Amino acid sequence: MTYFPEEVVEHIFSFLPAQRDRNTVSLVCKVWYEIERLSRRRVFVGNCYAVRAGSVARRFPNVRALTVKGKPHFADFNLVPPDWGGYAAPWIEAAARGCPGLEELRMKRMVVTDESLELLARSFPRFRALVLISCEGFSTDGLAAIASHCKLLRELDLQENEVEDRGPRWLSCFPDSCTSLVSLNFACIKGEVNAGSLERLVSRSPNLRSLRLNRSVSVDTLAKILMRTPNLEDLGTGNLTDDFQTESYFKLTSALEKCKMLRSLSGFWDASPVCLSVIYPLCVQLTGLNLSYAPTLDASDLIKMISRCVKLQRLWVLDCISDKGLQVVASSCKDLQELRVFPSDFYVAGFSAVTEEGLVAVSLGCPKLNSLLYFCHQMTNAALVIVAKNCPNFTRFRLCILEPGKPDVVTNQPLDEGFGAIVRECKGLQRLSISGLLTDKVFMYIGKYAKQLEMLSIAFAGDSDKGMMHVMNGCKNLRKLEIRDSPFGDAALLGNFARYETMRSLWMSSCNVTLKGCQVLASKMPMLNVEVINERDGSSEMEENNEELPKVEKLYVYRTTAGARDDAPNFMVGRIREEAGRGVATVVSSSSVSSAGSGKATLVCLPYLGAIWPGIIIHHPLYFAF
Amino acid sequence: MSTSSADSSPPVSGLDYDDTALTLALPGSSTTDASDRKRAGAASHADKPPSPKARAVGWPPVRAYRRNALREDAAAAEAKRLVKVAVDGAPYLRKVDLAAHGGYAPLLRALHAMFASCLAVHRAGEGSEGTAAMRLVDSVNGAEYVPTYEDKDGDWMLVGDVPWKMFVESCKRIRLMKSSEAVNLSPRRSFK
């Protein structure tokens, strides 16, 4: 192939959109590496600390679409301290310097500031899509900057972010010349928006296909908007609380009649059951429905609506739907592929209206089901076995029994056999979350059968190190492993440490791992960052015999070419007894912290949230040719 | 909240279920006891970190965004305004939550539903915007019922005169009065 001109090779590469394939071809030779990197248009960075932002920007100067993910998944559940990291600024700055052609930026679980949004808005003349998921750190002022300066903006999609509200002005910042919007989602914005500005914006956006409003938008405004968007495919309503009989509802009904392309509905904030009847005529054409933010709807309301949704493929509901409602889902929604049942009440010892029976019913009635997230208070092995037989196509199976360690409610046995059936039957399973009473046996099944598994979430499960080792040894495709409150210690952590290089990350919290185990791991695997987070006061134990090193509260291990993080919170220096061997633990002074490339492991202590016992990051600064 | 759907009798109803559950244990063994069952499960895994019966941090695994969104709804839902409803001739009173309805029309529909066997909603004349006069009609004998309420001052008023939110705040109880008794309340007055 070396005698082909570069343009030809580049053209051949254009048929390889998948990042994995492009990474592979770039390893063949220097020429291919160069051609590939200059023609790469989409870059996905699954862990923002796995690689330096500057390196990415330098390698791929012509990137058009960049995706970066920050905090580990368990940050969603407040397990990661707020100042841990995941900052977007280095990425936006590096892209601003090196990738002027950037058009799309997607970020998940990152800390984004208004300054960064301002820089983003001004740096990329062709910028057209911003997607922020579960991010924080910015306000509506940052959105105002995006609206004002991104002249070609097509997509502004804000999903479940924590956004500081500084008033409704941001929406009015879209200039009159902005007519390119295709997708606008501001459901997570808490404050009011100017109805007139919104209506005008929608009126001049003929390509608008997806619109998700926030709670403040009234029925009246919604009706007016929908009159202008007959081609809308995805709608997130505002609040639906007004008096049913008023003019607005009549207008809404006639506007909705025109929306023949509408396929997906969400929102339903504060929805009163009576308002739902306005939606009934649409149900027959819906493929996606999210009612999970409508606790005001009870089972009978939900049943009346869902029984009409015969083409539904994706359904998100609260457990108010009850087993009876799930039976209706099973008999009405034969095309269902994804089901999520969220808890309406977070009290772990309470009761929910959904049980294993509802899940069995859905598995019987919806053979295409491949993705499940199910919160409930009880489960049985028998039910899981039936579900596994009925739905062998699961790729995502997440079951959360609210009470930790709860056994099969009928037999009082662990749920090992049930989950065993799932992994045995569902040969394409990529993501699994397990719960309830579980012994090492379930991990033996997972290691043995879940060969395609990429992500595994474990909570309050297992008996011994063997459990985790089954997984580490058996699941050849595992990329992300997250564990909390399970009895896995150093032996499990170190049992197959070479595997961590093939994984994106490992999270362990409230397990039995000790500091020593972390030190050993860091010394054996220079290409990992081993981050230890201890938030409690245990300083007196630190001086004791190091054999009895205290347990590590939270551990986050990930492969990286970036070496030590330079944005870890609040450096402090500590003194650890030196160990013989490959320089695992050394006394550090603050100056040596910044000396990367010394080849020695440095033990760096940092406090989180003012705790006296310092957390420890064990780094191996390392230079890696990219 | 999920408890409001208790009327549809979920299969599990708590203690009763546990008491009647069949297990493989010998008669008289302690595992039939619900709390012992939990302890039995925990005891066999003594090496585990103590399984928390109280709420653990970040458990259940629901995103903060979702928790906050639902909590706002719950807070709104908890601001209940339950008032008694009396219907002339009915053997017992009912209670209705004024805060759960968006306006007069949903309220009257709810009242109709409560006394459904005997009443139908009937709109009297064309209303101007907002509150049209409504009356409830007994479909058996055609007797009309006029919705009235007792306000904070103890006066009996006709439902529908004041803005909805003001009504919710000042209403102490509701009475569906037979219109033959309601001669002094001029139900055919037109409203602003």
Side-chain angles (χ1 to χ4, degrees):
Chain A
M1 282 242 322
T2 47
Y3 45 83
F4 282 171
E6 287 188 8
E7 303 82 52
V8 174
V9 179
E10 184 179 319
H11 181 68
I12 296 172
F13 288 172
S14 69
F15 293 97
L16 298 171
Q19 177 154 299
R20 222 170 266 188
D21 294 333
R22 295 196 72 116
N23 290 346
T24 309
V25 303
S26 62
L27 291 174
V28 167
C29 63
K30 281 206 166 82
V31 173
W32 281 27
Y33 176 91
E34 280 299 304
I35 297 172
E36 194 286 314
R37 79 177 186 90
L38 292 172
S39 60
R40 177 92 66 114
R41 296 281 175 258
R42 314 192 73 89
V43 173
F44 172 83
V45 178
N47 173 4
C48 65
Y49 291 118
V51 64
R52 289 204 181 270
S55 308
V56 175
R58 267 193 304 280
R59 179 173 170 184
F60 303 113
N62 300 318
V63 65
R64 303 258 167 89
L66 175 64
T67 304
V68 188
K69 291 176 153 188
K71 301 187 196 182
H73 174 233
F74 275 1
D76 284 352
F77 317 130
N78 299 332
L79 288 178
V80 175
D83 53 350
W84 174 85
Y87 303 109
W91 292 90
I92 295 178
E93 284 159 21
R97 276 193 298 273
C99 314
L102 191 69
E103 296 176 6
E104 301 174 19
L105 181 64
R106 289 172 179 78
M107 297 196 139
K108 186 168 184 180
R109 284 190 210 100
M110 297 195 75
V111 178
V112 186
T113 61
D114 286 343
E115 290 74 38
S116 294
L117 289 176
E118 184 89 35
L119 180 63
L120 176 68
R122 292 182 191 278
S123 305
F124 307 107
R126 292 211 298 270
F127 196 77
R128 59 182 209 190
L130 178 63
V131 179
L132 298 176
I133 305 174
S134 297
C135 296
E136 56 180 349
F138 61 103
S139 77
T140 48
D141 284 352
L143 300 178
I146 299 286
S148 307
H149 302 297
C150 298
K151 310 250 181 295
L152 302 175
L153 196 67
R154 289 201 210 167
E155 188 178 341
L156 179 60
D157 186 359
L158 307 167
Q159 296 178 31
E160 302 191 346
N161 302 292
E162 274 300 319
V163 186
E164 189 194 330
D165 180 40
R166 297 228 185 115
R169 141 189 111 86
W170 68 275
L171 193 66
S172 315
C173 287
F174 283 102
D176 290 341
S177 53
C178 175
T179 58
S180 46
L181 271 181
V182 173
S183 167
L184 176 63
N185 173 3
F186 62 94
C188 64
I189 302 296
K190 295 190 260 265
E192 296 203 356
V193 292
N194 183 304
S197 294
L198 180 57
E199 288 166 39
R200 283 190 295 279
L201 178 62
V202 168
S203 303
R204 62 177 188 273
S205 304
N207 298 322
L208 197 64
R209 295 289 172 270
S210 167
L211 178 64
R212 297 193 183 184
L213 310 169
N214 75 353
R215 248 171 155 139
S216 75
V217 176
S218 68
V219 172
D220 197 58
T221 308
L222 174 61
K224 288 194 190 137
I225 287 173
L226 287 175
M227 293 300 291
R228 318 276 198 164
T229 57
N231 293 326
L232 204 63
E233 293 169 13
D234 167 47
L235 172 67
T237 71
N239 72 75
L240 292 176
T241 47
D242 291 3
D243 189 326
F244 182 75
Q245 298 288 2
T246 58
E247 187 85 1
S248 309
Y249 270 98
F250 294 133
K251 279 197 265 178
L252 182 62
T253 310
S254 45
L256 283 172
E257 266 166 34
K258 296 201 171 57
C259 294
K260 301 280 182 222
M261 309 289 291
L262 205 50
R263 294 283 174 271
S264 164
L265 276 185
S266 59
F268 296 96
W269 308 102
D270 315 311
S272 87
V274 159
C275 308
L276 281 194
S277 52
V278 173
I279 311 282
Y280 287 167
L282 282 176
C283 289
V284 72
Q285 65 199 56
L286 291 182
T287 57
L289 184 57
N290 181 354
L291 295 163
S292 64
Y293 289 103
T296 41
L297 303 175
D298 66 15
S300 55
D301 303 319
L302 294 169
I303 285 172
K304 274 196 222 135
M305 184 155 178
I306 292 173
S307 55
R308 296 160 195 258
C309 300
V310 292
K311 292 211 189 117
L312 210 57
Q313 294 173 15
R314 196 181 69 255
L315 176 63
W316 293 23
V317 279
L318 289 171
D319 58 8
C320 316
I321 192 175
S322 80
D323 284 338
K324 186 156 160 243
L326 289 175
Q327 271 151 15
V328 172
V329 171
S331 56
S332 313
C333 310
K334 293 303 185 188
D335 286 339
L336 196 69
Q337 295 178 24
E338 176 181 333
L339 174 66
R340 296 197 190 190
V341 179
F342 293 96
S344 51
D345 160 23
F346 306 126
Y347 182 48
V348 298
F351 295 98
S352 57
V354 301
T355 69
E356 75 276 11
E357 293 185 14
L359 182 57
V360 168
V362 174
S363 75
L364 270 165
C366 308
K368 295 188 192 169
L369 196 63
N370 60 49
S371 173
L372 180 77
L373 172 61
Y374 198 81
F375 285 84
C376 58
H377 279 88
Q378 63 180 62
M379 188 50 58
T380 64
N381 284 310
L384 286 174
V385 169
I386 297 175
V387 168
K389 287 246 154 52
N390 290 337
C391 294
N393 296 322
F394 273 119
T395 55
R396 288 173 194 71
F397 189 89
R398 293 192 281 165
L399 179 64
C400 180
I401 300 164
L402 271 85
E403 188 183 323
K406 185 160 182 179
D408 179 319
V409 75
V410 168
T411 66
N412 207 32
Q413 296 300 303
L415 290 170
D416 301 334
E417 297 306 316
F419 281 105
I422 295 284
V423 292
R424 203 169 34 239
E425 302 293 331
C426 305
K427 304 207 179 353
L429 196 65
Q430 290 171 6
R431 182 167 181 185
L432 177 66
S433 298
I434 57 180
S435 57
L437 182 63
L438 295 162
T439 71
D440 285 345
K441 204 164 185 210
V442 74
F443 298 111
M444 190 264 292
Y445 288 137
I446 292 174
K448 188 170 175 193
Y449 294 112
K451 292 306 183 188
Q452 301 301 318
L453 195 65
E454 296 183 9
M455 181 169 179
L456 178 61
S457 307
I458 301 168
F460 307 101
D463 304 318
S464 74
D465 290 328
K466 287 209 193 76
M468 182 170 160
M469 282 165 63
H470 283 306
V471 172
M472 289 298 296
N473 295 334
C475 298
K476 300 291 181 210
N477 282 304
L478 196 64
R479 292 188 299 112
K480 288 179 278 186
L481 180 58
E482 47 186 27
I483 307 171
R484 62 167 293 174
D485 294 275
S486 301
F488 307 135
D490 294 341
L493 178 69
L494 300 169
N496 189 352
F497 56 84
R499 279 281 279 123
Y500 298 128
E501 199 188 355
T502 68
M503 291 166 57
R504 183 186 296 174
S505 64
L506 165 73
W507 170 278
M508 293 178 76
S509 58
S510 304
C511 299
N512 293 342
V513 174
T514 70
L515 196 52
K516 181 124 166 77
C518 299
Q519 290 170 339
V520 173
L521 179 60
S523 71
K524 286 184 193 281
M525 297 292 286
M527 66 294 294
L528 301 180
N529 274 358
V530 179
E531 295 195 8
V532 170
I533 301 168
N534 276 356
E535 286 165 284
R536 282 185 234 268
D537 178 5
S539 52
S540 52
E541 291 170 78
M542 170 106 150
E543 303 301 322
E544 305 276 313
N545 182 357
N546 269 0
E547 240 93 78
E548 298 291 335
L549 279 174
K551 296 224 180 100
V552 154
E553 266 173 52
K554 295 172 186 175
L555 171 66
Y556 185 46
V557 179
Y558 53 91
R559 66 181 175 188
T560 180
T561 59
R565 278 177 62 185
D566 50 15
D567 64 357
N570 295 334
F571 277 98
M572 198 185 85
V573 167
R575 217 188 131 96
I576 303 287
R577 188 191 68 175
E578 214 169 306
E579 288 196 9
R582 295 207 279 144
V584 170
T586 57
V587 174
V588 276
S589 63
S590 49
S591 55
S592 69
V593 161
S594 53
S595 62
S598 64
K600 253 202 279 207
T602 50
L603 202 60
V604 180
C605 303
L606 21 54
Y608 279 82
L609 306 177
I612 296 172
W613 167 242
I616 296 172
I617 283 190
I618 305 170
H619 288 160
H620 264 273
L622 186 74
Y623 170 72
F624 239 6
F626 201 167
Chain B
M1 304 286 262
S2 55
T3 50
S4 67
S5 59
D7 293 339
S8 54
S9 42
V12 181
S13 57
L15 288 174
D16 295 338
Y17 179 87
D18 286 339
D19 286 342
T20 59
L22 299 177
T23 67
L24 294 178
L26 292 172
S29 81
S30 62
T31 51
T32 50
D33 184 282
S35 55
D36 278 350
R37 189 179 300 150
K38 289 179 194 164
R39 265 184 265 125
S44 62
H45 307 282
D47 295 333
K48 279 172 62 167
S51 58
K53 298 293 178 277
R55 205 179 296 193
V57 172
W59 190 264
V62 175
R63 276 194 189 157
Y65 176 84
R66 180 174 291 281
R67 282 185 197 253
N68 294 339
L70 286 186
R71 202 183 305 134
E72 280 171 43
D73 277 341
E78 255 142 47
K80 284 184 190 291
R81 290 275 298 124
L82 287 166
V83 296
K84 287 187 195 170
V85 182
V87 175
D88 288 353
Y92 47 80
L93 278 62
R94 298 293 302 269
K95 268 209 161 163
V96 69
D97 176 12
L98 297 179
H101 300 284
Y104 286 113
L107 173 66
L108 286 167
R109 265 195 298 280
L111 293 179
H112 162 242
M114 267 187 203
F115 297 96
S117 52
C118 43
L119 300 175
V121 179
H122 178 70
R123 196 195 296 253
E126 297 316 311
S128 27
E129 34 55 19
T131 56
M134 288 201 164
R135 273 170 290 144
L136 294 152
V137 178
D138 185 335
S139 44
V140 172
N141 59 22
E144 282 187 351
Y145 290 82
V146 177
T148 65
Y149 71 102
E150 184 185 2
D151 74 353
K152 279 197 265 220
D153 302 322
D155 298 319
W156 283 95
M157 320 278 292
L158 183 68
V159 168
D161 283 335
V162 299
W164 170 252
K165 290 222 159 31
M166 199 184 292
F167 165 74
V168 171
E169 270 154 43
S170 58
C171 171
K172 278 171 48 187
R173 47 173 35 207
I174 294 177
R175 177 179 160 203
L176 299 183
M177 198 182 279
K178 277 216 174 80
S179 65
S180 50
E181 285 188 35
V183 279
N184 295 328
L185 293 178
S186 317
R188 283 191 176 71
R189 224 184 336 148
S190 63
F191 300 97
K192 246 188 351 151

